[in-house]
Amino acid sequence: MAAGLERDGRKFHIVTPLLESMALSKAAGTKVYMKLENVQPTGSFKIRGIGYFCQEAAKKGCKHFVCSTGGSAGFATAYTAKKLGIPATIIVPMSTSQVTVRKLEEHGAEVEVFGKVWDDAYVKALTLAKTDGWVSVHPFDHPLIWKGHASIVRELKDSLGCRPGAIVLAVGGGGLLAGVVAGLQEAGWQDVPIIAVETKGADSFNAAVRAGRLVTLPDITSVAKCLGAKTVSARALQCASECQVISQLVEDMEAVQAVEQFLDDERLLVQPACGASLALLYTGCIQQLQREGHLNRDLDSIVLIVCGGSSIQMAGLQALKTQLGMK
């Protein structure tokens, strides 16, 4: 099956819709287009890069995939592995919900719970990957994964026909950021600003940018667990020197409020990691960045990458609101 796949794994991911949002445009003060990665077969953009990585590994004789993840990367690995007819083991940290564990098992994967945060699960995955024929699928840090994610920008170029004024995305370990930068470089759009958003408590990229070097957080305290890499990838930090990457932080409560507002506005339920980038628009940060000179005052359009909603349900949203003391 692998031999017949296209060069960017297109047998696994779909070309996602690019839709204008009236509500987000009003909030941001300029036209906002939503790149709806939440409608991918596995619920997030991760299927682009991981689908491509697994496709290439299958060509080289992989007999078993192992992936450490808090959710979205695991769904992408399990889905792709099933399509390729290759077993998959997903290692999840203890912070992962039972709903996510059950959904991963329904995708046909074997699931093992290990460690407090993703970094712990990753060490376990690397140990298992020493088994002959097993391949570790990193959730965000591999050139093939970035190459797969770059397909987002190719689709944007086809849909828009001209470069957007800015791209807003959430950053966790940095895979999406690295993929978008690769896509912008391929398209000749290196001058398009990227606004990379994290929640406080999962802000390893912001810490690295401020320090000018990789920084390991002592712990992940944010509710946006899909952003929970204690150390961002080296490539993500490098991207900040190659393109205009503006690092921004939002509060957990702002991210969760944005998830709820987005559900009302667009009838789409996304996870708090995606809520972080939504919160940037809803809270007026775009206008603040324009006032401060970081963005053009005559910004004609923004593309918001709606990165995913594979690990959220209404009960989970209500639990997060309760945890944060929200009504």
Side-chain angles (χ1 to χ4, degrees):
M1 181 183 293
L5 295 175
E6 298 174 24
R7 64 183 178 89
D8 62 353
R10 270 283 289 118
K11 292 290 184 180
F12 301 127
H13 73 260
I14 65 169
V15 175
T16 52
L18 183 70
L19 303 178
E20 185 177 350
S21 168
M22 296 297 105
L24 288 171
S25 296
K26 182 178 180 180
T30 189
K31 188 177 294 184
V32 175
Y33 294 102
M34 306 175 294
K35 184 61 170 165
L36 296 178
E37 290 299 294
N38 58 309
V39 304
Q40 289 287 0
T42 59
S44 86
F45 74 96
K46 293 279 189 179
I47 189 61
R48 293 178 181 269
I50 287 177
Y52 183 49
F53 176 92
C54 292
Q55 165 192 318
E56 294 302 301
K59 290 178 182 178
K60 296 177 181 178
C62 171
K63 295 181 174 61
H64 198 119
F65 293 113
V66 57
C67 180
S68 53
T69 174
S72 297
F75 290 125
T77 301
Y79 177 87
T80 305
K82 189 173 183 179
K83 291 285 187 181
L84 291 168
I86 297 173
T89 298
I90 311 298
I91 314 296
V92 300
M94 289 183 288
S95 58
T96 307
S97 71
Q98 284 302 306
V99 173
T100 296
V101 171
R102 187 179 70 248
K103 286 174 66 178
L104 284 167
E105 290 173 339
E106 289 172 354
H107 275 68
E110 178 185 344
V111 182
E112 182 176 341
V113 180
F114 184 87
K116 183 180 178 183
V117 295
W118 169 79
D119 303 73
D120 303 326
Y122 178 54
V123 173
K124 176 70 172 180
L126 288 179
T127 301
L128 289 176
K130 293 177 181 178
T131 306
D132 185 45
W134 286 44
V135 172
S136 174
V137 182
H138 199 289
F140 54 82
D141 196 8
H142 194 282
L144 291 177
I145 290 176
W146 310 330
K147 184 176 180 180
H149 293 338
S151 59
I152 291 177
V153 180
R154 288 196 290 274
E155 291 174 21
L156 288 178
K157 193 169 186 179
D158 289 342
S159 299
L160 289 174
C162 59
R163 68 191 66 206
I167 294 176
V168 178
L169 53 80
V171 58
L176 178 58
L177 172 62
V180 168
V181 167
L184 291 176
Q185 292 171 337
E186 178 186 308
W189 286 1
Q190 296 95 321
D191 57 340
V192 174
I194 301 169
I195 307 171
V197 193
E198 298 166 286
T199 49
K200 294 178 181 178
D203 49 348
S204 57
F205 177 68
N206 183 266
V209 169
R210 286 187 290 107
R213 57 177 174 80
L214 295 180
V215 173
T216 299
L217 302 178
D219 198 6
I220 300 297
T221 57
S222 170
V223 300
K225 299 303 180 185
C226 286
L227 299 182
K230 291 199 292 184
T231 310
V232 76
S233 69
R235 176 59 190 149
L237 182 57
Q238 188 179 15
C239 286
S241 65
E242 295 178 5
C243 292
Q244 184 187 356
V245 181
I246 305 167
S247 175
Q248 293 286 288
L249 300 180
V250 299
E251 300 284 351
D252 272 349
M253 188 175 293
E254 290 174 324
V256 173
Q257 286 172 336
V259 167
E260 197 166 34
Q261 185 65 52
F262 192 62
L263 179 59
D264 283 345
D265 289 341
E266 305 296 342
R267 302 163 306 283
L268 296 169
L269 179 61
V270 296
Q271 55 210 41
C274 185
S277 54
L278 289 166
L280 186 92
L281 302 181
Y282 280 129
T283 56
C285 289
I286 293 294
Q287 292 90 329
Q288 182 178 341
L289 289 170
Q290 289 175 297
R291 288 192 296 269
E292 293 173 353
H294 298 296
L295 290 176
N296 193 322
R297 285 186 176 272
D298 298 322
L299 203 61
D300 57 349
S301 66
I302 290 172
V303 170
L304 169 73
I305 299 180
V306 182
C307 56
S310 58
S311 301
I312 188 71
Q313 300 80 31
M314 284 302 299
L317 175 59
Q318 187 56 53
L320 289 173
K321 291 176 62 180
T322 300
Q323 179 181 337
L324 293 170
M326 298 167 62
K327 292 183 179 180

